[in-house]
Amino acid sequence: MAQNPRNRSKAPRRQGTQNNADNIAWIWGSHAALAALNNPARKILGLYLTRNAATEGFSAFADRAEIVDPKALNAMLPDGAVHQGVALKTKQPDGVSLEDLISPPQGLIVMLDGVTDPRNAGAIYRSAAAFGARGIIMQDRKAPPLSGGLAKTAVGAAETVPTARVVNLSRALNELTKRGWRAVGLAGEAEIALSEAVSGKDAVVLVMGAEEKRAAPVRRRGL
């Protein structure tokens, strides 16, 4: 453990989860924070730890941290944030290009259409990591940032699953189908199961959210 970490009794003024003008974001929770600290694409602007966190799971990072009391940490984060004694002030990572993500056409990609709840998106990132998805495609303006509640729910997967942000999902989906990807949308009223729509050899883009309008061109759906 490093000696003499900086102490701080008062936290910066609360700024929410993201400042769009400066591309500033907050991450909290032990798993999300550790993954972000170990992600070279994630620029860390500030690390804030309670004394317990600094002497336990984050002792290796204590020399970079400002030590705050739990009340100060609560004050810098949104109401209800379960921080486990750690918070990061960061810049959003740039992500990957659509071209890099979809070439060559093989494996599984997830496309998020209208998934705006950070916790829902975080759960999808967690599942995508568990099932070995190549990455996630989302809109650049109407999707939640890779921070806050999304990062907390994803328990680190937001740092490991590549993300491509695009202006128009329909155009991106058309490009994927031209490249040999099969688009499959999830819908509760679908008549076939996902296992029937997809084989292990397919290059699949799984569309989640407002999926009917995106999956219509290929006329295949799964549960």
Side-chain angles (χ1 to χ4, degrees):
M1 175 178 171
Q3 301 297 316
N4 300 320
R6 288 178 293 166
N7 288 277
R8 182 173 178 143
S9 60
K10 295 182 180 180
R13 183 172 56 88
R14 181 187 308 216
Q15 299 184 37
T17 59
Q18 184 174 22
N19 180 327
N20 288 326
D22 299 322
N23 200 24
I24 302 299
W26 285 91
I27 292 175
W28 57 84
S30 58
H31 292 292
L34 279 173
L37 286 166
N38 288 300
N39 179 7
R42 175 78 72 167
K43 184 176 181 180
I44 307 301
L45 302 178
L47 169 60
Y48 306 93
L49 300 173
T50 62
R51 191 164 298 281
N52 284 343
T55 57
E56 294 175 358
F58 288 84
S59 59
F61 301 98
D63 61 335
R64 300 171 52 184
E66 296 194 30
I67 306 303
V68 298
D69 61 47
K71 289 183 179 179
L73 199 55
N74 289 338
M76 72 169 66
L77 298 175
D79 291 338
V82 182
H83 52 69
Q84 299 171 294
V86 57
L88 296 176
K89 186 178 181 181
T90 80
K91 287 249 184 183
Q92 292 288 346
D94 292 333
V96 300
S97 70
L98 183 64
E99 176 67 26
D100 288 342
L101 185 61
I102 70 176
S103 300
Q106 61 185 35
L108 171 68
I109 289 175
V110 178
M111 177 178 283
L112 302 186
D113 177 9
V115 180
T116 57
D117 185 292
R119 290 171 297 181
N120 288 343
I124 292 171
Y125 268 86
R126 192 173 65 235
S127 297
F131 286 97
R134 283 177 55 174
I136 288 179
I137 300 171
M138 60 172 66
Q139 282 186 294
D140 60 353
R141 293 183 179 273
K142 297 182 180 180
L146 301 183
S147 57
L150 187 157
K152 180 67 165 63
T153 306
V155 292
E159 309 298 327
T160 60
V161 177
T163 301
R165 292 186 178 268
V166 298
V167 174
N168 187 290
L169 290 176
S170 291
R171 287 201 296 266
L173 190 57
N174 287 336
E175 183 63 26
L176 265 74
T177 56
K178 290 178 183 177
R179 301 284 194 94
W181 291 85
R182 168 181 278 185
V184 178
L186 301 186
E189 68 276 14
E191 298 178 357
I192 62 173
L194 181 60
S195 58
E196 298 175 77
V198 177
S199 77
K201 297 180 180 179
D202 287 333
V204 175
V205 52
L206 191 63
V207 186
M208 306 183 72
E211 64 277 350
E212 288 96 345
K213 62 184 179 181
R214 307 297 181 194
V218 293
R219 301 179 182 176
R220 298 300 300 271
R221 298 178 186 170
L223 289 174

